[in-house]
Amino acid sequence: MISFVNLTAQREKYRFELEKAEREVLDSGCYIGGPQVQALEKELSEYLGEKIHAITCASGTDALTIALMAMGLCPGDEVIVPDFTFIAPAECVSILGSTPKFADIDRETLQIAPESVKKLIGPRTKGIIAVNLFGQSAPFKELRKIATEHKLWIIEDSAQAFGAKVSSNGDIQKACSFGDIAITSFYPSKPLGCYGDGGALFTANEDLAQKIRMIANHGSAGRYQHEIVGMNSRLDALQAAVLRVKLKHLNEELPVRRQNAAKYDAFFAEYNRTAAAGEKIVPQKIAEGNDSTYAQYTVLAENRESFIQKLTAAGIPHCIHYPAPLHEQPCFGSSEVRNANAKWASEHAVSLPVCAFTNVAEIIEKLKV
Ligand SMILES: Cc1ncc(COP(=O)(O)O)c(C=O)c1O
């Protein structure tokens, strides 16, 4: 049986280190916060570059909510979010009484389209949440230009992309350092995942970092002293210990994910040369200079139904990320929005297994039959 994300093979490989780290926490009597969480935050910020503060919390969704609270989002404000992604960015805006405005995506990279963002800016717009979809960084150069011109902030949703980077004119910038605040998720199947829920926020701004820490801890900077209304959002020590082990191996796993993606790319290029009309499979385009984490390998199948039949017959696990543009979800349901590319992607996208423990050669052999 092939798994979509082979977490058991990963655990087997790091078993000795993981069990030692887990045992240390269980024997320590310190289960929330404490030295493991502090050490993880230090290591996360070292990974990104010393200037970036890392603050852990209970999930990627909480991290988005905390980021929006730190930015001072108020009921009646508007935030621009991509129409084709997981629901969390739009949901977090709504839960704070604000309105998500859904931007269309680029049809090839599947990332939020700056041209569409521009059209949505109005007097109530406060910021943009840009998602690094499937592990590839969003077009931050263009987005930052728009944000600066219109005095908007950017929250970078890097739930799927901790470890991604972008090279441009000899400079390399890591994902989680593009936004005024960035977030990630440590959901188990993410490129850097723990064994439960977990998340983190990142910012280079000292004041924002302090505010984020307070919000995540009941609005409190000192014991039983509550400056602002916050929430309880903590990463526990066991998850931090697991993440510290996995973080050490992230830079070994990411190149394997990229090699796996390259194998699929080569296969689908060949596949398309002989495919019948209307049966082409086009991988998500990775923009120049981008190193994706390949949270999943997503293709756009001209005929999704027949491709899925083929995958199912071959026993290849697959997922549809995502089956509808967000504006069509019943909780938002808006008939006014017309995002043709988001709609098209939701009708054609299929994701395939790509983690560092996936045998992509085996999958490709099955697809050749
Ligand atoms: C783009 C994006 N943002 C936010 C989240 C929320 O993360 P979590 O599941 O840790 O709350 C996810 C989770 O899949 C995601 O894919």
Side-chain angles (χ1 to χ4, degrees), residues 59-62 64 85-86 88-89 131 133 157 159-160 183-187 190 197-199 322:
S59 70
T61 306
D62 271 10
L64 282 169
T85 184
F86 185 61
V131 175
L133 194 68
D157 179 342
Q160 306 176 1
I183 70 99
T184 198
S185 163
F186 300 130
Y187 185 80
K190 294 289 189 262
D197 274 311
Y322 298 90

Side-chain angles (χ1 to χ4, degrees), residues 110-157:
L110 309 178
Q111 305 290 3
I112 191 167
E115 283 310 310
S116 178
V117 168
K118 274 191 211 164
K119 289 184 195 147
L120 295 171
I121 296 172
R124 293 181 175 175
T125 312
K126 291 294 183 293
I128 304 163
I129 301 181
V131 175
N132 296 333
L133 194 68
F134 305 142
Q136 171 178 207
S137 297
F140 285 105
K141 222 166 153 182
E142 292 94 322
L143 293 173
R144 181 55 73 188
K145 237 167 111 183
I146 297 169
T148 306
E149 194 179 321
H150 296 273
K151 297 190 171 52
L152 307 176
W153 41 253
I154 297 180
I155 293 175
E156 177 188 355
D157 179 342

Side-chain angles (χ1 to χ4, degrees), residues 91-102:
E91 176 183 44
C92 296
V93 170
S94 289
I95 215 153
L96 293 173
S98 306
T99 307
K101 303 296 277 186
F102 298 101

Side-chain angles (χ1 to χ4, degrees), residues 98-279:
S98 306
T99 307
K101 303 296 277 186
F102 298 101
D104 206 358
I105 55 164
D106 178 88
R107 199 173 161 117
E108 292 182 308
T109 63
L110 309 178
Q111 305 290 3
I112 191 167
E115 283 310 310
S116 178
V117 168
K118 274 191 211 164
K119 289 184 195 147
L120 295 171
I121 296 172
R124 293 181 175 175
T125 312
K126 291 294 183 293
I128 304 163
I129 301 181
V131 175
N132 296 333
L133 194 68
F134 305 142
Q136 171 178 207
S137 297
F140 285 105
K141 222 166 153 182
E142 292 94 322
L143 293 173
R144 181 55 73 188
K145 237 167 111 183
I146 297 169
T148 306
E149 194 179 321
H150 296 273
K151 297 190 171 52
L152 307 176
W153 41 253
I154 297 180
I155 293 175
E156 177 188 355
D157 179 342
S158 202
Q160 306 176 1
F162 186 87
K165 40 187 196 214
V166 181
S167 323
S168 166
N169 302 325
D171 285 342
I172 295 179
Q173 194 170 351
K174 290 189 172 153
C176 295
S177 70
F178 292 102
D180 297 288
I181 301 177
I183 70 99
T184 198
S185 163
F186 300 130
Y187 185 80
S189 60
K190 294 289 189 262
L192 178 62
C194 57
Y195 291 152
D197 274 311
L201 298 102
F202 306 97
T203 180
N205 181 314
E206 177 85 44
D207 294 339
L208 275 177
Q210 267 182 31
K211 197 168 175 194
I212 288 166
R213 253 185 218 293
M214 279 170 64
I215 295 170
N217 183 30
H218 298 287
S220 167
R223 211 175 169 90
Y224 304 127
Q225 191 81 29
H226 304 276
E227 320 292 336
I228 49 179
V229 172
M231 58 201 275
N232 166 18
S233 187
R234 301 181 286 226
L235 184 74
D236 64 65
L238 201 52
Q239 304 306 344
V242 167
L243 285 164
R244 290 184 68 205
V245 172
K246 292 206 194 179
L247 181 60
K248 276 195 210 131
H249 295 283
L250 185 66
N251 283 355
E252 297 154 26
E253 290 193 11
L254 291 177
V256 183
R257 282 177 176 269
R258 289 175 190 134
Q259 284 157 20
N260 282 345
K263 286 181 197 161
Y264 277 130
D265 287 348
F267 169 70
F268 284 119
E270 192 53 40
Y271 184 97
N272 289 340
R273 255 191 282 283
T274 53
E279 296 288 338

